[in-house]
Amino acid sequence: MLLAPPLGPLMWPRRSDAMIRKGIIATAVRPVDLPDDVVADVRGITYRVMRTVLRQNTAYIAERSVPERLAALGVPVQVIFGAADPRWEPSSAHRYDAVPGARVELLPSVGHLPMLEAPETIGELLLDFTAAGPTTTRDP
């Protein structure tokens, strides 16, 4: 309702911090502590900008998928999905198998906000990934 005309433009400026917080946290499975600066950043997004971003993001992905784009770069990739993500289909993680050398992690009992829901696990995964060193799949 917040994103669709005719009510979206009228309701968007009336969002409270609690409403924003509740909307973001609804995508998590585990309890999360949402930083105030995240809420403030979301509050600063105008209705017009949000609609434009959503439209452009949809067009970007429709043109060429993220895994296709990453595969073309030939750089190491760490992909982390929450296995219980209510916003994005977790089974789509298998699409990243098309990226040579990609590390794909599907975290059980984690939703759309893995960095807030499982920060220790995310930290360990990223440290392990970066410790592996820079490797590429492209010829020099």
Side-chain angles (χ1 to χ4, degrees):
M1 190 162 81
L2 275 173
L3 293 173
L7 295 179
L10 300 172
M11 304 235 354
W12 192 263
R14 291 171 174 73
R15 296 168 301 148
S16 67
D17 286 357
M19 212 170 143
I20 292 169
R21 191 174 297 281
K22 184 177 179 182
I24 294 171
I25 290 174
T27 66
V29 173
R30 297 179 180 182
V32 297
D33 182 24
L34 192 63
D36 292 338
D37 59 336
V38 171
V39 175
D41 287 347
V42 172
R43 172 166 292 298
I45 299 170
T46 66
Y47 175 79
R48 184 175 178 188
V49 165
M50 184 60 144
R51 292 275 301 179
T52 300
V53 166
L54 291 173
R55 189 171 46 256
Q56 293 297 325
N57 188 49
T58 300
Y60 180 83
I61 292 170
E63 180 182 305
R64 198 161 130 214
S65 74
V66 174
E68 287 177 284
R69 291 171 189 274
L70 291 172
L73 294 177
V75 298
V77 175
Q78 171 76 70
V79 179
I80 302 171
F81 272 74
D85 189 336
R87 176 114 171 75
W88 199 261
E89 181 54 51
S91 67
S92 67
H94 74 85
R95 292 183 182 135
Y96 289 87
D97 293 341
V99 181
R103 291 187 185 184
V104 180
E105 297 288 339
L106 206 54
L107 304 181
S109 303
V110 173
H112 193 68
L113 305 171
M115 63 287 203
L116 297 176
E117 294 178 67
E120 297 85 11
T121 302
I122 298 299
E124 290 169 12
L125 288 170
L126 293 176
L127 286 172
D128 182 54
F129 179 72
T130 57
T135 58
T136 64
T137 57
R138 267 192 196 167
D139 293 328

